[in-house]
Amino acid sequence: MYSKVYSGTWEGIEGILIQVETDISNGLPVFDMIGYLSSEVKEAKERVRTALKNQGFLLPPRRITVNLAPAHMRKSGTMYDVAIAVSVLIAGRYLEELQQPILFIGEVGLDGSINGVQGVLPVILKAKEEDLSICFVPKENQKEADLVKDICCIGVSTLDEIVSILNRWSKEDNYYEMIDYFREKRNEESDCFDFEKTHMQGTRSRKNKESEQHLDFADIRGQKLVKRALEIAVSGHHNILLSGSPGSGKSALAKRVPSIMPELTYEEQLEITKIYSVSGKLTDTGTLITKRPYRAPHHSISMAALIGGGRNAEPGEISLAHKSVLFLDELPEFKRDILDMMRQPLEDRQVTVARNKRVHTYPADFMLVAAMNPCPCGYFPNRQKCSCTDRMRKKYQDRLSGPLLDRIDMLVSVMPVSMKMIRADSKEEGSYVIQKRVERTRAIQRRRYEEESFCVNAHLNEQGIEKYCRLDEKEKDWLEQLIDKNEMSYRSYVRILKLARTIADMEESEQIKERHLIEAVMLRMGLQEE
């Protein structure tokens, strides 16, 4: 007898449906699995065979053939186990033939239990797109699956539970009753099925959040110029490098950058959650990620962990920081070849890796915030503490390649704060106030670029620079002379214009003025002035 059910996998962060076909026919008793399978998928036949036996289902001594289609795509992972088991049960006539396509996801234990897997969210989204109305998922992935509206996701713990449910509603007319029953049951157990309610809970007003915010710019004394630079960086989504001695507050400032970024939209929340789903990094609650993530990998990180890839391709830190902040502390301590691999993602806002004849594309639209010391000991220009020679300083800074620095819009020096400033009673501006200004500036950019493929100044292309960053003759001559005098690259020229466009937007000025260019140049050439 022949049967077919659906399972799924993902490529990048997009789901793919997999057909699981089973044929049981006369012949020598053998269990064959085909379809370009990795070793862990091939092992599924032993997991499924043993699980079915321990659940009371004895397979007939006949030839069993299981095919995972499409056959040209390599399958890996354990999320096909449940679909294989159900397909075998239908072909073996332990279950009625399904009257409509149903998706099954999960790993099977030898006792018949169903264990959670990663990557459930993109697969469920794909199932909805393909008009599947019922999905069986592991109980521990239930909340993650329920983030998708208009599809019935049934959380199960054992194979026997699936058999009981399908046998109860085996006729086509009863599938609709099954959907209504489980939706009502799920709503009684938890309100997570109602995405709109979950979304509203996750995006409460910032005023209510302010009291819960542990990291706030109000905690940082002084550093007005650096705070101004960070506000400009966030307003235009510009990359920034902070240079200063140990203890000057570089890391503390970087940690607070997400607190002044605009609230995530629903589309951004869903995209970030998909990335964390395929990475297996969703929290135990499995709910939608509503806060911008903050990623700060150590400088000993490998290339695959930072960029993405590995034996089984997974998103790297640059993708886990999508729509938020990637903080690289002690930037010169990172391996140069690893840093240079970020050059393409910084430009394209995505990264592509190829593994096992499959190409995985992960989004990587992150804001890079980096920090470094001005010299090997870290205390230049304080000659009482610093004994580094000019040659040592140059060698230290030369660890960063020119092409990488060209892709960092702002180079800002962070000076230590005096004890007098630390002890001052003056109230510092909080993150909530700064965030509102950032949101106003971002709104100006969204309106300006509503017909473009980008929505922030940092993403302006050459045509956008020509169209939206026009200068009067006076400003144009001044900037060209500066570029020629300092032998700056064309990319630096473009970065200055983008920064000036953001500064002008913060003042709600349609025209870029000379004062905007001067501040942009100062922010761009921060390290070169030392």
Side-chain angles (χ1 to χ4, degrees):
M1 185 176 176
Y2 170 83
S3 69
K4 180 174 74 173
V5 300
Y6 286 87
S7 188
T9 185
W10 65 90
E11 191 169 274
I13 62 169
E14 300 303 322
I16 300 173
L17 294 189
I18 300 295
Q19 296 181 21
V20 180
E21 303 172 296
T22 298
D23 178 78
I24 298 181
S25 57
N26 295 329
L28 293 175
V30 65
F31 194 139
D32 279 336
M33 290 185 60
I34 55 178
Y36 197 13
L37 314 177
S38 66
S39 58
E40 61 262 36
V41 182
K42 292 177 181 178
E43 292 167 356
K45 66 180 180 182
E46 297 303 328
R47 290 193 296 271
V48 168
R49 190 205 306 270
T50 307
L52 291 176
K53 181 200 71 174
N54 289 330
Q55 291 277 291
F57 303 104
L58 296 178
L59 297 180
R62 303 171 70 188
R63 184 178 185 84
I64 301 173
T65 305
V66 177
N67 177 47
L68 273 63
H72 71 273
M73 189 183 76
R74 186 170 177 80
K75 289 81 175 180
S76 59
T78 59
M79 65 192 309
Y80 312 108
D81 288 11
V82 173
I84 293 169
V86 172
S87 183
V88 169
L89 288 173
I90 295 172
R93 299 187 179 181
Y94 290 101
L95 278 172
E96 293 288 335
E97 186 176 352
L98 302 180
Q99 301 301 314
Q100 68 179 51
I102 297 178
L103 182 78
F104 298 89
I105 301 173
E107 177 186 325
V108 171
L110 296 184
D111 59 350
S113 60
I114 298 176
N115 305 317
V117 292
Q118 63 193 61
V120 168
L121 180 58
V123 174
I124 300 297
L125 286 168
K126 183 63 176 179
K128 176 187 174 183
E129 182 183 321
E130 297 293 330
D131 295 326
L132 272 68
S133 55
I134 303 173
C135 300
F136 284 83
V137 299
K139 198 75 173 179
E140 60 189 274
N141 294 122
Q142 174 83 63
K143 290 183 178 180
E144 179 183 348
D146 284 346
L147 294 174
V148 184
K149 291 181 64 178
D150 302 325
I151 188 168
C152 179
C153 295
I154 304 171
V156 288
S157 302
T158 64
L159 289 174
D160 189 55
E161 195 175 341
I162 295 177
V163 173
S164 299
I165 293 170
L166 292 178
N167 280 336
R168 180 178 176 185
W169 284 281
S170 59
K171 296 181 181 179
E172 183 177 6
D173 294 341
N174 289 340
Y175 279 131
Y176 299 104
E177 295 180 16
M178 178 173 72
I179 292 172
D180 292 339
Y181 171 82
F182 280 101
R183 280 181 171 169
E184 184 177 347
K185 181 180 178 182
R186 187 60 186 154
N187 286 335
E188 291 174 358
E189 292 176 354
S190 169
D191 58 6
C192 285
F193 185 82
D194 187 348
F195 170 77
E196 292 177 356
K197 188 179 292 186
T198 306
H199 179 61
M200 291 302 294
Q201 289 174 347
T203 55
R204 292 170 294 170
S205 69
R206 186 69 182 198
K207 284 187 178 180
N208 293 334
K209 282 186 177 181
E210 193 171 14
S211 60
E212 304 171 13
Q213 183 68 46
H214 298 298
L215 298 176
D216 195 289
F217 268 90
D219 302 329
I220 305 293
R221 295 287 181 181
Q223 303 292 11
K224 288 187 177 181
L225 293 177
V226 184
K227 289 179 182 178
R228 163 76 175 173
L230 289 171
E231 181 180 344
I232 294 171
V234 175
S235 295
H237 200 71
H238 301 287
N239 302 317
I240 184 170
L241 173 58
L242 306 176
S243 175
S245 59
S248 57
K250 304 186 296 295
S251 298
L253 287 160
K255 289 178 181 177
R256 287 160 174 79
V257 170
S259 69
I260 65 172
M261 300 183 86
E263 296 287 352
L264 290 167
T265 64
Y266 158 57
E267 291 77 12
E268 290 172 335
Q269 293 174 2
L270 192 61
E271 192 170 24
I272 294 171
T273 306
K274 285 166 66 177
I275 295 171
Y276 278 72
S277 175
V278 302
S279 302
K281 290 181 170 61
L282 275 184
T283 58
D284 293 337
T285 59
T287 53
L288 200 71
I289 294 177
T290 57
K291 290 184 178 181
R292 294 186 186 269
Y294 173 81
R295 307 298 299 186
H298 190 260
H299 58 73
S300 62
I301 191 170
S302 68
M303 187 176 297
L306 181 65
I307 306 301
R311 179 177 173 271
N312 295 319
E314 288 189 358
E317 290 290 333
I318 63 173
S319 296
L320 296 172
H322 182 60
K323 297 298 181 183
S324 191
V325 174
L326 176 70
F327 177 54
L328 301 183
D329 199 6
E330 303 293 344
L331 189 65
E333 300 300 328
F334 285 80
K335 292 181 180 178
R336 182 164 177 164
D337 59 335
I338 292 178
L339 291 179
D340 284 343
M341 284 292 292
M342 290 202 306
R343 285 154 51 181
Q344 177 262 336
L346 283 170
E347 291 287 340
D348 299 341
R349 305 192 300 280
Q350 65 180 25
V351 61
T352 301
V353 295
R355 292 292 182 276
N356 297 322
K357 298 184 180 180
R358 292 174 63 184
V359 177
H360 304 263
T361 300
Y362 302 111
D365 185 9
F366 60 95
M367 175 180 161
L368 176 62
V369 180
M372 64 178 288
N373 295 328
C375 65
C377 76
Y379 291 102
F380 183 85
N382 186 344
R383 285 303 183 183
Q384 293 181 342
K385 292 185 176 181
C386 176
S387 59
C388 299
T389 64
D390 290 344
R391 183 178 179 182
M392 292 169 65
R393 287 181 56 239
K394 186 177 186 307
K395 183 179 179 181
Y396 179 72
Q397 294 191 2
D398 282 348
R399 294 182 185 179
L400 305 178
S401 68
L404 177 65
L405 287 175
D406 261 354
R407 288 166 171 80
I408 297 177
D409 303 340
M410 306 166 65
L411 311 172
V412 179
S413 295
V414 183
M415 304 305 294
V417 179
S418 65
M419 289 303 299
K420 182 179 179 180
M421 178 65 73
I422 294 174
R423 293 173 179 172
D425 294 331
S426 59
K427 188 176 180 181
E428 298 289 338
E429 199 172 38
S431 293
Y432 176 70
V433 177
I434 302 173
Q435 186 205 38
K436 290 305 173 186
R437 292 201 299 266
V438 169
E439 289 178 344
R440 185 178 67 242
T441 306
R442 286 283 186 99
I444 292 172
Q445 296 170 57
R446 281 197 303 273
R447 289 194 296 269
R448 181 191 299 128
Y449 306 134
E450 60 184 356
E451 296 182 359
E452 304 286 354
S453 60
F454 49 86
C455 61
V456 290
N457 291 328
H459 297 163
L460 277 164
N461 52 29
E462 290 189 11
Q463 293 79 14
I465 291 288
E466 186 70 26
K467 184 176 180 180
Y468 301 111
C469 298
R470 292 178 180 174
L471 302 177
D472 290 339
E473 288 301 320
K474 177 185 175 183
E475 285 79 10
K476 188 182 296 184
D477 291 341
W478 180 86
L479 183 57
E480 287 177 357
Q481 291 176 18
L482 180 77
I483 296 295
D484 292 338
K485 181 180 178 181
N486 290 275
E487 297 181 350
M488 299 170 69
S489 68
Y490 175 72
R491 185 177 280 119
S492 293
Y493 168 76
V494 169
R495 302 284 177 186
I496 289 171
L497 284 177
K498 291 179 181 180
L499 277 173
R501 178 69 272 169
T502 298
I503 297 168
D505 289 342
M506 292 172 69
E507 295 183 7
E508 300 185 24
S509 171
E510 185 61 32
Q511 185 65 31
I512 297 176
K513 304 294 185 182
E514 186 175 343
R515 64 179 182 275
H516 305 143
L517 289 170
I518 291 173
E519 185 173 8
V521 170
M522 290 176 64
L523 291 170
R524 174 68 189 167
M525 301 178 66
L527 283 183
Q528 298 175 23
E529 292 181 335
E530 294 179 353

